[in-house]
Amino acid sequence: MLKKNLIVMVSALLASFPLVAQKTAYEKSGKTETATYQEVIAWYKSLAAEHSQVKLMEMGETDSGKPLHLVLFSTEGEFNVSELKEKGYITMLVNNGIHPGEPDGIDASMMLIRDLLKDKRKQKELDKVLLGIIPLYNIGGALNRMEHTRVNQNGPVAKGFRGNARNLDLNRDFIKADSKNARTFAKIFQYLDPELFLDNHVSNGADYQHVMTLLTTQHNKLGGNLGSYLQSQLEPSLYAYMEKAGFPMVPYVNVWGTTPEKGWNQFYDSPRYSSGYATLFQSIGFTAETHMLKPYHSRVEATYALMESMLQAAAKDRELILSHREKDREMVRKQEEFPLNWEHDTTAYRQITLKGYEWEMQESEVSGLQRLYYDRQKPFTAKVPFYDTYRPKDVVEKPQAYIIPPGWYEVAELLKINEVEMTQLDQDSTIEVELYHIAHYKTMQRPYENHYSHYDTQVEKTVKRLSIPAGSWIVPTGTDTDRYVVEVLEPAGRDSFFNWNYFDAILQQKEGFSAYVFEDLAARYLAEDPGLRKALQQKQQEDEAFAQNPYAQLQFIFERTPYFEKAYLRYPIYRVN
């Protein structure tokens, strides 16, 4: 009877922790394979079913037709985010598999959360830390699994494809939000409102000894107390932890077509990228970039160590980070001017330690010409300059509010997804507004991520009283989301909705004239308006091609008559001061 009771007790004990010791698909393969999408979700479903400290949630749709999941871990087993924030919790969000051919974070996160369940000491350290994990973001790319993607990468055996179910690169989609994935991600991000964010990747580029490189939110762009804390305290602590863990880091090696021993510039993480998007909401964002040529198991272990180091920093500096963020958000609410773009400061740098390989040019066996070759038998360690300072450019004054007419509902929907405060006019109103006219822009000549996007956009400003229709959205400023609102609604911003083609309809003139009919009307306008005649004559004298082009001269007059359409090149989002 005693033996039978002992067996029952042991069985019950094992049943209560069935997955804590279970190996992942990656571990079962001898650390050569990554888990499939089906294995990942099944793993977390079982884990959440057996452990009260883990919760698995379906958060919304993806382009694949499958839901996007979010895994939450809290030592208390409580998951009401707003209540946890009231209790002083800090939140860290990890995104995995945005490029499923770079699956290091997928496998590392599974092991991390399992090991946290086993280790009571670590759980105690993570008191008041809420960990959120997106197990696999690009589901469509993960389902497109093969052995022959990522040609230069050293494992795993089979992996997913970079493009999603619509062949979009989701790491360019955080602002334009063409994908359902991006819209659901915004929902997750606003739901958790994380203080720390990590996106796990694998890097292409130069060869060097480092397994892990780190792309960090640009500290000048983050600004305020958090920017200073990031540069002076958080980054050094992460680098020290990784050194101790056996994975000495350098900043993301941002060199293309050259070699790193002369140093490099910090990557410009504009809001189209995940860390740049996080910056708009006063979140400290990181992109882990393991090195593609290192063995898969080394990359997974380095990613695991980096996540551990971030969790440790979150726990240790919790009160400081929360305090800094609240102060910075108050500063944003009161901020009068915002930079739309940034330029690199080529005079400011700091010395970092690069563990590289010597290189030389050799004769190519393919072309017979010279090719770059890194000699791994010749490692070196050297101090190199890292240029990580940016200066604000194209500064704009924040209005009291923006107005979005009802026809531009797609833009309003994106603002709603990102938790921007808005109200709608319940009746037609006449309001004095600032108007932008698009004075200049350039357009990419080749498609880029489903768009022919604009750049070098410049505007001219006028003030008018306009009739604003009922149903228009009023977007007040003075809120936590001001930085996001300004950067997406101001046309000159690098990742503005204008530059992402949301307003291309205004760039096409809808009505014109028949030259032979308009000739008589144009002559009458010239006769009645000496100023118009003088302007035409001056243009004829200054521009010989114009002087020889009768249609261009009629167009010149047409644009200065009441017949010329007001909507042409007029940006349809208005500013109220």
Side-chain angles (χ1 to χ4, degrees), residues 245-266:
F247 297 104
M249 290 194 301
V250 286
Y252 173 65
V253 183
N254 187 32
V255 297
W256 300 96
T258 182
T259 52
E261 75 281 352
K262 293 182 180 179
W264 59 88
N265 299 338
Q266 184 177 20

Side-chain angles (χ1 to χ4, degrees), residues 230-244:
L230 168 65
Q231 186 184 33
S232 64
Q233 292 177 252
L234 180 55
E235 274 195 285
S237 73
L238 298 181
Y239 276 75
Y241 184 100
M242 293 297 284
E243 180 87 31
K244 187 176 180 181

Side-chain angles (χ1 to χ4, degrees), residues 30 42 91 133 154 191-192 204 264 309 408 417 489 493 510 554:
T91 305
I133 295 173
N154 185 5
Y191 169 68
L192 290 181
N204 296 309
W264 59 88
S309 71
W408 304 97
I417 291 169
L489 294 186
K510 297 301 186 290
L554 289 175

Side-chain angles (χ1 to χ4, degrees), residues 293-576:
L293 298 179
K294 302 301 183 288
Y296 187 53
H297 69 89
S298 297
R299 301 189 338 245
V300 171
E301 290 164 11
T303 304
Y304 184 110
L306 180 62
M307 289 190 291
E308 269 198 326
S309 71
M310 285 185 63
L311 283 171
Q312 185 182 83
K316 180 174 69 72
D317 293 344
R318 176 181 60 84
E319 292 183 358
L320 184 63
I321 294 171
L322 293 174
S323 173
H324 283 337
R325 195 184 197 203
E326 182 50 44
K327 290 176 183 176
D328 285 357
R329 286 195 157 172
E330 179 64 23
M331 197 161 52
V332 166
R333 290 191 286 270
K334 295 178 179 178
Q335 191 170 332
E336 296 297 328
E337 293 183 333
F338 288 87
L340 298 178
N341 298 295
W342 297 78
E343 59 186 0
H344 189 241
D345 186 342
T346 58
T347 65
Y349 65 90
R350 58 187 173 94
Q351 295 285 345
I352 60 173
T353 301
L354 170 69
K355 294 179 179 292
Y357 295 117
E358 293 186 18
W359 62 273
E360 60 186 46
M361 300 303 291
Q362 294 184 348
E363 183 178 311
S364 167
E365 296 181 12
V366 177
S367 66
L369 303 175
Q370 293 294 294
R371 55 149 292 193
L372 176 65
Y373 170 75
Y374 287 94
D375 190 342
R376 294 185 190 169
Q377 303 305 311
K378 297 180 179 179
F380 70 84
T381 299
K383 293 287 186 180
V384 301
F386 177 55
Y387 298 85
D388 64 341
T389 300
Y390 281 81
R391 296 181 297 219
K393 179 184 175 185
D394 302 326
V395 175
V396 66
E397 188 175 340
K398 177 178 72 176
Q400 290 185 1
Y402 291 93
I403 298 177
I404 305 173
W408 304 97
Y409 50 85
E410 289 180 314
V411 169
E413 285 301 316
L414 287 179
L415 296 184
K416 289 177 186 177
I417 291 169
N418 284 282
E419 298 291 333
V420 173
E421 294 179 21
M422 295 187 291
T423 58
Q424 283 186 280
L425 284 177
D426 56 8
Q427 61 183 8
D428 295 347
S429 304
T430 300
I431 303 174
E432 183 175 272
V433 299
E434 286 183 340
L435 290 175
Y436 283 147
H437 279 81
I438 306 301
H440 173 81
Y441 68 96
K442 296 177 182 177
T443 303
M444 296 180 69
Q445 298 305 299
R446 298 186 63 182
Y448 175 77
E449 291 305 318
N450 207 36
H451 291 258
Y452 287 84
S453 55
H454 307 308
Y455 62 100
D456 195 19
T457 299
Q458 300 167 28
V459 298
E460 294 174 349
K461 185 189 298 183
T462 57
V463 177
K464 285 189 177 181
R465 290 186 68 81
L466 290 185
S467 177
I468 307 298
S472 295
W473 288 274
I474 307 298
V475 183
T477 58
T479 73
D480 291 348
T481 58
D482 277 5
R483 187 163 185 186
Y484 169 81
V485 168
V486 169
E487 294 211 26
V488 298
L489 294 186
E490 290 290 333
R494 178 170 178 172
D495 278 326
S496 69
F497 289 148
F498 174 83
N499 281 336
W500 279 116
N501 307 119
Y502 274 88
F503 300 101
D504 278 8
I506 70 167
L507 304 180
Q508 180 187 12
Q509 189 176 324
K510 297 301 186 290
E511 292 189 0
F513 56 84
S514 296
Y516 79 96
V517 178
F518 186 63
E519 277 277 359
D520 296 333
L521 185 58
R524 193 165 72 209
Y525 271 104
L526 288 177
E528 295 174 355
D529 188 344
L532 179 58
R533 178 179 291 279
K534 183 177 180 181
L536 177 65
Q537 291 172 343
Q538 184 175 347
K539 180 73 171 174
Q540 289 168 334
Q541 293 170 2
E542 294 173 350
D543 189 336
E544 185 176 347
F546 176 81
Q548 300 302 315
N549 188 332
Y551 188 88
Q553 295 179 50
L554 289 175
Q555 177 70 23
F556 182 89
I557 298 167
F558 177 65
E559 290 177 1
R560 288 154 180 80
T561 71
Y563 292 97
F564 186 67
E565 61 197 71
K566 295 180 177 63
Y568 179 54
L569 295 180
R570 189 170 87 178
Y571 182 60
I573 307 299
Y574 312 132
R575 293 165 46 98
V576 181

